[in-house]
Amino acid sequence: MQQPGDGAFQRANSVGCGVAVVGTGFGSSHLALLSELPSFKLRYICYKNDRARAELLAHRFGVAAVTDSYEEIIKSDVDLVVLATPVSSHYDLGSRALRVGKNIIVDKPLCLNASEAWSLAKQGKDHRCMTFFQWRHHPGFRAMHWIVNQAVLGHVHHIDLQFRHDFLAGETAWPWRHVWSEAAAGAFADQGVHLLDLAHWLKQDTPRVRAAFGRCLRSERKTTDGKTVVAETEDFGQAALCFSDDTLASIFVSRSASGCREISATLTGDRGTARLLVNTDNSIYKIHVDASTAIALPDFPNENPYRLWLDADATSFGRCASLVDGAIAQELLDGIIANLRHETGS
């Protein structure tokens, strides 16, 4: 697990941590979490195209300045740069921030490919960095992690993870998500990479990709402003993984599941089964455990990963996904992409 040096801990726990959030799409979710913690001073929103949206977000969350210049961010004295930008920009923007001594938090997937991801992880080894896999911090998945660690189900021999959402069931607000060279993949990059990280985190072992397939629902997509984009990446798909102890994992993702926004997880062991269902809109969840021995699940709170990022306790910070964790998930995503491209001949 990547751990930062003492200097990074000291800096993060200074009077206030200056933050720049780059990107105005899903950047709003980062701003919401950051605004919960007064230790963070929201200094900049950096945008590329939509200044009006950036200014609205700045007003809503009390961000001091709006800029379209990443160079301004690099030259500023902010401590942390949060990258909520298209995947194709993560490596360049992250490397530039690290070179001038800034810490970075990168939205998933970490990069376009594993080579870039491992390089970024190496560059960030002496910084306080995180890959934003927020579902690790959800109380339902924390409970499932506890179930595995406590061997409640005995030996877990199958993990089933499914993520259904409808954010691309109709028109698209993100043309770049449909292009291989900008997004790396489709539903597997948008949602599946979360499940790949959860599989690795639940088992504390890195699986291998055995098979994967996906489908693009339409060859062309209409954007919300009436334009047309050629669609290349998959809108739904399934993958099969295998761990070193022969535990199997199955992954299903859909970003076009009309009327559905949920994540489910089922763990099957030789002494029982545990099922989790999460509503992604409100984070309400249900867990049902069928096991040979009655158990009382601990009450896990919903963690704000930024609070853990600030914590000087290495154990608390260690619950965050590192850039190394991001690179591991990226390797698995690369394996899935190779299967998808072989299948489609692209």
Side-chain angles (χ1 to χ4, degrees):
M1 178 75 71
Q2 167 191 326
Q3 297 292 353
D6 293 338
F9 279 119
Q10 185 177 5
R11 189 178 193 189
N13 284 272
S14 59
V15 175
C17 181
V19 185
V21 176
V22 185
T24 59
F26 284 112
S28 59
S29 60
H30 292 274
L31 289 164
L33 290 170
L34 286 162
S35 66
E36 293 178 1
L37 306 174
S39 298
F40 288 103
K41 294 183 177 179
L42 299 174
R43 296 276 306 281
Y44 291 95
I45 290 178
C46 184
Y47 72 98
K48 184 177 181 181
N49 298 314
D50 196 342
R51 184 177 184 90
R53 176 171 170 76
E55 289 179 340
L56 284 173
L57 290 173
H59 177 74
R60 176 182 172 189
F61 293 105
V63 182
V66 170
T67 181
D68 63 353
S69 170
Y70 191 66
E71 193 64 28
E72 183 177 351
I73 302 298
I74 293 299
K75 290 180 178 179
S76 74
D77 61 351
V78 299
D79 305 287
L80 172 65
V81 177
V82 178
L83 298 177
T85 57
V87 182
S88 58
S89 67
H90 288 179
Y91 181 76
D92 175 58
L93 298 181
S95 295
R96 290 169 65 188
L98 290 169
R99 281 198 296 269
V100 296
K102 301 189 185 306
N103 306 297
I104 60 172
I105 292 177
V106 187
D107 221 331
K108 53 73 207 170
L110 187 54
C111 293
L112 277 178
N113 54 63
S115 177
E116 286 186 351
W118 282 112
S119 176
L120 198 63
K122 183 177 180 180
Q123 293 174 56
K125 64 182 179 64
D126 294 322
H127 295 72
R128 177 178 279 262
C129 299
M130 178 169 68
T131 306
F132 202 71
F133 286 130
Q134 72 270 27
W135 290 108
R136 284 188 178 201
H137 305 285
H138 184 277
F141 282 105
R142 294 183 67 196
M144 296 294 262
H145 189 264
W146 182 88
I147 285 170
V148 173
N149 283 344
Q150 297 298 313
V152 170
L153 307 176
H155 171 66
V156 173
H157 54 76
H158 184 242
I159 298 173
D160 181 78
L161 300 168
Q162 303 186 27
F163 196 156
R164 292 175 171 85
H165 206 286
D166 61 358
F167 74 103
L168 284 178
E171 294 179 336
T172 179
W174 305 279
W176 63 268
R177 293 183 182 275
H178 303 277
V179 181
W180 284 111
S181 61
E182 293 189 56
F188 279 111
D190 290 330
Q191 301 146 270
V193 72
H194 280 300
L195 306 186
L196 298 174
D197 175 67
L198 289 170
H200 165 246
W201 176 67
L202 287 168
K203 281 287 288 182
Q204 293 299 296
D205 185 19
T206 303
R208 303 179 307 281
V209 177
R210 288 298 182 87
F213 73 90
R215 290 290 181 270
C216 181
L217 288 178
R218 294 184 288 278
S219 59
E220 291 186 345
R221 285 275 196 162
K222 286 293 183 183
T223 64
T224 51
D225 58 2
K227 297 178 181 178
T228 299
V229 58
V230 175
E232 300 171 347
T233 58
E234 79 288 349
D235 293 307
F236 67 96
Q238 195 155 5
L241 315 177
C242 185
F243 291 90
S244 60
D245 64 356
D246 290 331
T247 295
L248 298 178
S250 52
I251 305 289
F252 176 82
V253 289
S254 174
R255 59 187 188 181
S256 300
S258 298
C260 186
R261 296 183 175 185
E262 66 181 30
I263 303 178
S264 65
T266 302
L267 307 176
T268 305
D270 53 19
R271 295 208 303 267
T273 298
R275 301 175 181 87
L276 167 68
L277 184 64
V278 181
N279 181 315
T280 63
D281 277 351
N282 55 28
S283 288
I284 293 174
Y285 69 99
K286 296 179 181 178
I287 291 182
H288 183 76
V289 180
D290 290 308
S292 55
T293 304
I295 62 162
L297 284 174
D299 184 19
F300 292 101
N302 195 10
E303 291 182 326
N304 184 331
Y306 283 102
R307 189 184 302 277
L308 298 179
W309 186 90
L310 279 170
D311 202 324
D313 179 5
T315 301
S316 295
F317 178 72
R319 292 208 297 275
C320 299
S322 68
L323 297 188
V324 170
D325 292 320
I328 290 170
Q330 189 81 50
E331 280 199 341
L332 295 171
L333 182 58
D334 278 12
I336 288 172
I337 292 170
N339 276 269
L340 298 180
R341 290 195 151 179
H342 175 75
E343 181 190 21
T344 61
S346 60

